Amino acid sequence: MSTETEQQAEAIGQWMEQQDKFARLLGIRLEAVRPGYARASLTVRPDMLNAVRVTQGGVTFTLADFTFAVASNSHGTTSLALSTQLSFPGSSREGDRLVAEAREESSTKRTGLYTVEVKTGDGRLVGLFSGTVFRRSDKVAEWMENNSDPKIS
């Protein structure tokens, strides 16, 4: 049985998945969310490859960044990135399913520190992301009420 905070995190994650137009364009799917945690995935398409036929770094970054955003906003307070970094210890290719898992490492009233691992379906690490957020005073619920795109289902 889900607690109220877990239900809130799930609702926020679903809303963010629906409203993030770039994540939708890339086919990112949110798989799990709970307070301080998120998991999302995508499948690498031919139009996501660079000139040497490996996944363009921006695709890996966007998957990590989206997952980081969901995890950091899952508590219900609007959180925006202050700083991020991504290392590429491996590469992925067309057809690979990439899975990003974001975990909260530290959280205060005003900041949060997160790590995100991006792995291929067979478990190879292809991205190691770290990010810090600033927590604003407004609530995500306010954005959910006032800024949903009615054309998105």
Side-chain angles (χ1 to χ4, degrees):
M1 178 179 270
S2 294
T3 67
E4 188 174 328
T5 57
E6 289 171 333
Q7 291 171 351
Q8 172 186 280
E10 289 172 10
I12 289 168
Q14 290 172 4
W15 176 78
M16 291 180 74
E17 180 182 38
Q18 292 170 352
Q19 297 301 312
D20 190 316
K21 292 172 178 61
F22 194 58
R24 289 172 59 96
L25 178 69
L26 292 180
I28 293 174
R29 296 288 178 235
L30 185 61
E31 297 180 353
V33 61
R34 59 182 180 266
Y37 173 86
R39 183 179 67 240
S41 66
L42 65 74
T43 300
V44 179
R45 303 182 313 239
D47 62 340
M48 296 175 173
L49 303 178
N50 66 19
V52 296
R53 300 285 188 229
V54 298
T55 306
Q56 211 280 342
V59 171
T60 305
F61 182 91
T62 300
L63 175 61
D65 185 56
F66 172 77
T67 310
F68 161 60
V70 172
S72 64
N73 281 279
S74 65
H75 297 291
T77 301
T78 304
S79 300
L80 299 174
L82 284 173
S83 174
T84 64
Q85 177 180 331
L86 178 62
S87 297
F88 299 97
S91 62
S92 60
R93 290 173 170 57
E94 181 181 344
D96 282 344
R97 180 172 175 266
L98 301 183
V99 179
E101 281 193 280
R103 291 181 177 81
E104 187 173 75
E105 304 295 343
S106 174
S107 181
T108 69
K109 183 178 178 180
R110 287 297 192 200
T111 63
L113 177 62
Y114 294 80
T115 57
V116 184
E117 291 183 339
V118 181
K119 295 182 178 181
T120 60
D122 62 1
R124 287 181 297 108
L125 184 67
V126 296
L128 185 57
F129 177 105
S130 64
T132 303
V133 294
F134 174 74
R135 299 194 196 285
R136 297 185 341 183
S137 59
D138 53 318
K139 299 298 180 195
V140 177
E142 297 169 27
W143 289 96
M144 293 170 71
E145 285 178 27
N146 300 320
N147 296 289
S148 290
D149 188 341
K151 295 177 284 198
I152 298 174
S153 59

